[in-house]
């Protein structure tokens, strides 16, 4: 059983509230638009981090993190990317791979809109944790927390960490 904290779109912002939830997780997954690498360096000092770079991230982040991160957690295949879209409206750059080799869990960021939905066509769970940074149009800063146990994704929680 692994407790995951999923966040995205920090845009260089990290604070004690975010770090409180980082401390409670077994792993932290970041779906891009990190901003300053101080964010990921701070998280990595506390917990294992899986991350992708986003469209605002510069050369330093792109050297450290991939555009797509595909891996297995317990018995769940995971794909994290920053600009992924959502079921029925996937980014054209990933649509073919999504059809040929779908993961069990697809994660993206970018939109600053928290969204969790099941994709019946590709038989996968889609997650976007919204944005936990202070830059962007979102009103509420959000993250997701969940557990992966064997091949199950469970105990999903929405974390609202306040208005920006």
């Amino acid at each position: 059983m692994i407790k995951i904290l999923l966040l995205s779109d920090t845009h260089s912002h990290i604070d004690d509230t975010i770090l409180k939830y980082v401390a409670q997780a077994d792993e932290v997954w970041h779906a891009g638009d990190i901003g300053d690498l101080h964010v990921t360096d701070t998280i990595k000092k506390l917990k294992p981090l899986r991350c992708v770079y986003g469209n605002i991230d510069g050369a330093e982040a792109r050297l450290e993190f991939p555009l797509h991160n595909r891996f297995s957690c317990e018995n769940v295949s995971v794909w994290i990317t920053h600009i992924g879209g959502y079921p029925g409206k996937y980014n054209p750059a990933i649509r073919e791979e999504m059809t040929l080799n779908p993961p069990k869990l697809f994660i993206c960021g970018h939109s600053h809109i928290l969204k969790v939905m099941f994709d019946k066509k590709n038989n996968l769970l889609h997650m976007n944790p919204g944005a936990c940074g202070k830059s962007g149009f979102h009103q509420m800063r959000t993250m997701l927390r969940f557990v992966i146990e064997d091949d199950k994704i469970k105990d999903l929680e929405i974390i609202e960490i306040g208005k920006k």
Side-chain angles (χ1 to χ4, degrees):
M1 181 179 88
I2 299 176
K3 292 181 276 185
I4 307 297
L5 177 66
L6 175 60
L7 51 89
S8 187
D9 295 275
T10 46
H11 292 264
S12 302
H13 179 78
I14 188 96
D15 60 29
D16 289 341
T17 303
I18 295 170
L19 293 175
K20 175 183 86 170
Y21 289 102
V22 167
Q24 296 169 6
D26 295 323
E27 289 187 8
V28 177
W29 298 353
H30 193 304
D33 276 4
I34 303 156
D36 191 312
L37 290 185
H38 168 73
V39 170
T40 50
D41 292 344
T42 301
I43 293 169
K44 285 191 295 187
K45 287 177 186 169
L46 299 171
K47 297 292 172 167
L49 173 70
R50 297 181 189 262
C51 189
V52 295
Y53 70 80
N55 58 295
I56 68 140
D57 295 316
E60 201 173 20
R62 292 167 190 245
L63 286 171
E64 185 168 348
F65 301 109
L67 174 61
H68 301 283
N69 193 347
R70 289 197 78 154
F71 57 92
S72 288
C73 179
E74 297 262 315
N75 287 312
V76 173
S77 59
V78 181
W79 181 357
I80 304 174
T81 194
H82 184 61
I83 302 176
Y86 55 90
K89 297 271 186 183
Y90 289 117
N91 179 342
I94 67 162
R95 206 173 287 143
E96 183 178 356
E97 179 70 13
M98 183 65 73
T99 302
L100 295 174
N101 187 19
K104 182 167 185 163
L105 176 58
F106 180 70
I107 294 169
C108 63
H110 186 62
S111 70
H112 293 221
I113 300 169
L114 187 145
K115 187 180 288 195
V116 177
M117 59 192 296
F118 190 74
D119 178 346
K120 290 179 186 172
K121 181 180 174 191
N122 292 302
N123 193 33
L124 62 88
L125 184 61
H126 169 274
M127 290 186 186
N128 183 325
C132 66
K134 292 188 172 185
S135 297
F137 67 89
H138 59 282
Q139 297 300 305
M140 180 64 67
R141 297 168 51 225
T142 58
M143 302 183 292
L144 292 172
R145 181 164 58 180
F146 57 96
V147 170
I148 294 181
E149 185 171 12
D150 191 32
D151 64 346
K152 305 280 186 283
I153 303 161
K154 61 185 195 174
D155 301 334
L156 177 65
E157 296 175 75
I158 295 170
I159 300 168
E160 293 183 336
I161 53 176
K163 299 195 184 298
K164 14 182 238 172

